[in-house]
Amino acid sequence: MPKFGFIERQTKDFINIDPLQTGGKLSEEAKKALVEWGDGYSVCDFCTGRLEEIKTPPIYDFVHETLPEFLGCEVARITNGAREAKFAVMHALARPDAWVVLDGNAHYTSYVAAERAGLNVAEVPNTGHPGFRIEPDRYAEVIEETKKKGDVVLAVLTYPDGNYGNLPDAKRIAKICHEYDVPLLLNCAYAVGRMPVKMKEIGADFIVGSGHKSMASAGPIGVLGMREDYSSALLRKSAKYKKKEIEFLGCTARGVTIMTLIASFPHVVERVKQWDKEVEKARWFSAKMEELEIVQLGDKPHNHDLMFFESQKLYEISKKAKKGRYFLYKELKKRKIHGIKPGLTKHFKLSTYMVPKEQLEIVIRAFEEIIDRYS
Ligand SMILES: Cc1ncc(COP(=O)(O)O)c(C=O)c1O
């Protein structure tokens, strides 16, 4: 019988390069908020009917003023994650036998959200190895083909995608989608809170972010921005409970997660201004890895901290090493480096976001030593 109660986190003091985790590390303010607001429905002390209407704490101001400005949209909502935001949009726009067009690098949650909303999925393929790029004109081809089969109610662009960290030409894709009267949703789970991105500047109709992935927040929590024209479809209210919005099941993040998101917000605004430095650091890291013949795939030069690598050398080692394909994970763990999935050697992704350069130097040295030791 395992012992429950307080459980220490094994990787707490490790160098963390896990793409899922680097942008979700809490600010000092968020750590304090976690304790202050940790009790269940703590934010509901002065509720007047719905989460976004709460004035104390200032969730109303955050959702109605701060967030729309930050996302570059007209209307914003809090969700329980990026996936819930995508699902809300798809569900609100869905019609029988209709289609959604997804980029070929879309996250699994975009597919699952579409399935749950009863939409058929058409894919815009990427260019394959080594760039895996999404070319805007392919959206036109796929939308045109798909329109022959039924209504296309939405297109999605993963910006950047969660495998290669590629940033396609979103403005051009938005323009193409609009030529076909198809609204575009930007899945910015890896962008909002890390890099400057505004829905309006790109010309999209919806923008989605993930608090626990990129906004220094406890999770799960997400943000959704939209154009005003879509608010009547998205913010439809219950017939019986007049204040409750149906797509959000009344209230979404009704507890500590919204308070950590708000607590970290000033820190997030500041860090977004440092994005150029993060890109520079990612490019430096990529070049150092390539000196070890660990090749970075995707956009080159790279424009994001999330990077995908290919290593024939580590793969060859894994075929002979005593611990087999787990050797890399175990060697990194020994050096207190967390983030590359157990068993991966030939292909793996990592993130350098907010990881100090001195720590990244340790990571590079670790790869060097591991390769030397096993070669
Ligand atoms: C590109 C991308 N979108 C969406 C998600 C899901 O985010 P959330 O956990 O906020 O639903 C992920 C999670 O890995 C992702 O990588």
Side-chain angles (χ1 to χ4, degrees):
M1 171 80 173
K3 275 199 198 137
F4 295 120
F6 178 76
I7 295 165
E8 219 178 308
R9 183 174 170 194
Q10 275 182 36
T11 60
K12 202 168 49 185
D13 306 320
F14 282 35
I15 294 174
N16 195 334
I17 51 171
D18 186 340
L20 278 183
Q21 297 179 334
T22 52
K25 287 186 82 166
L26 296 184
S27 62
E28 290 308 313
E29 295 79 0
K31 285 180 195 167
K32 276 194 254 160
L34 201 54
V35 176
E36 183 83 9
W37 297 91
D39 293 340
Y41 281 107
S42 58
V43 298
C44 308
D45 289 341
F46 306 103
C47 178
T48 54
R50 203 175 65 238
L51 180 72
E52 304 80 33
E53 301 304 311
I54 295 174
K55 299 220 165 96
T56 310
I59 297 172
Y60 178 93
D61 291 346
F62 185 70
V63 175
H64 295 282
E65 284 170 30
T66 309
L67 208 46
E69 195 192 323
F70 185 65
L71 298 173
C73 63
E74 285 156 2
V75 178
R77 283 294 179 270
I78 301 293
T79 65
N80 280 320
R83 69 196 71 196
E84 283 82 358
K86 290 183 283 186
F87 172 69
V89 175
M90 291 181 192
H91 187 255
L93 301 184
R95 292 199 286 273
D97 305 319
W99 291 75
V100 58
V101 169
L102 303 182
D103 62 281
N105 291 340
H107 192 246
Y108 84 87
T109 53
S110 297
Y111 288 85
V112 174
E115 279 185 70
R116 187 180 177 198
L119 289 168
N120 299 297
V121 173
E123 253 181 53
V124 177
N126 66 37
T127 55
H129 191 281
F132 300 99
R133 286 188 318 278
I134 298 294
E135 289 180 335
D137 291 345
R138 303 300 301 270
Y139 267 82
E141 287 166 30
V142 174
I143 292 174
E144 226 161 90
E145 278 309 303
T146 312
K147 277 196 171 229
K148 291 179 192 158
K149 297 190 253 181
D151 289 341
V152 178
V153 295
L154 184 71
V156 172
L157 174 66
T158 321
Y159 189 80
D161 71 90
N163 260 340
Y164 310 105
N166 282 354
L167 286 160
D169 184 346
K171 268 190 196 172
R172 173 119 184 81
I173 291 170
K175 196 160 170 283
I176 290 170
C177 291
H178 291 158
E179 279 163 15
Y180 292 92
D181 284 328
V182 174
L184 177 68
L185 180 149
L186 295 174
N187 174 14
C188 292
Y190 275 110
V192 169
R194 289 166 116 94
M195 56 182 272
V197 57
K198 302 262 187 226
M199 188 191 92
K200 266 195 189 160
E201 280 172 20
I202 289 174
D205 304 273
F206 299 98
I207 185 166
V208 165
S210 174
H212 47 289
K213 178 164 279 163
S214 298
M215 299 178 82
S217 178
I221 192 163
V223 294
L224 168 64
M226 67 193 91
R227 272 183 30 202
E228 176 86 54
D229 332 9
Y230 289 100
S231 62
S232 58
L234 258 290
L235 311 183
R236 207 161 41 98
K237 298 213 175 62
S238 157
K240 187 166 165 67
Y241 297 96
K242 306 280 183 221
K243 288 194 169 182
K244 307 293 186 188
E245 292 170 351
I246 295 169
E247 297 299 351
F248 304 101
L249 298 177
C251 293
T252 55
R254 49 209 175 275
V256 71
T257 57
I258 177 90
M259 296 314 292
T260 59
L261 188 80
I262 289 175
S264 276
F265 191 72
H267 156 84
V268 163
V269 168
E270 284 309 306
R271 77 186 196 179
V272 165
K273 294 181 192 157
Q274 306 297 316
W275 179 243
D276 287 352
K277 287 192 189 132
E278 288 297 330
V279 172
E280 199 184 304
K281 184 156 55 98
R283 288 180 181 178
W284 164 83
F285 184 85
S286 163
K288 287 283 174 199
M289 290 290 267
E290 296 221 333
E291 283 173 18
L292 304 173
E293 290 172 47
I294 303 174
V295 181
Q296 185 240 309
L297 306 182
D299 286 345
K300 253 180 167 170
H302 209 57
N303 301 308
H304 197 272
D305 59 272
L306 192 163
M307 288 172 283
F308 189 94
F309 290 95
E310 181 173 68
S311 172
Q312 198 58 37
K313 222 177 205 176
L314 290 167
Y315 176 58
E316 292 305 328
I317 294 172
S318 76
K319 290 200 238 166
K320 292 181 244 140
K322 211 162 112 207
K323 298 197 172 95
R325 62 196 185 94
Y326 291 94
F327 87 96
L328 179 60
Y329 173 77
K330 293 204 166 138
E331 289 288 346
L332 291 172
K333 188 173 173 189
K334 241 197 292 183
R335 293 168 174 81
K336 292 192 150 198
I337 298 169
H338 172 75
I340 292 175
K341 284 203 180 131
L344 297 185
T345 56
K346 189 175 180 182
H347 294 124
F348 52 85
K349 56 183 181 177
L350 54 81
S351 158
T352 53
Y353 191 62
M354 304 280 284
V355 185
K357 206 163 175 183
E358 310 80 73
Q359 291 193 358
L360 292 175
E361 274 162 355
I362 294 173
V363 174
I364 290 158
R365 260 203 311 278
F367 274 102
E368 201 171 358
E369 277 168 26
I370 295 166
I371 290 171
D372 279 353
R373 184 167 161 211
Y374 285 85
S375 295

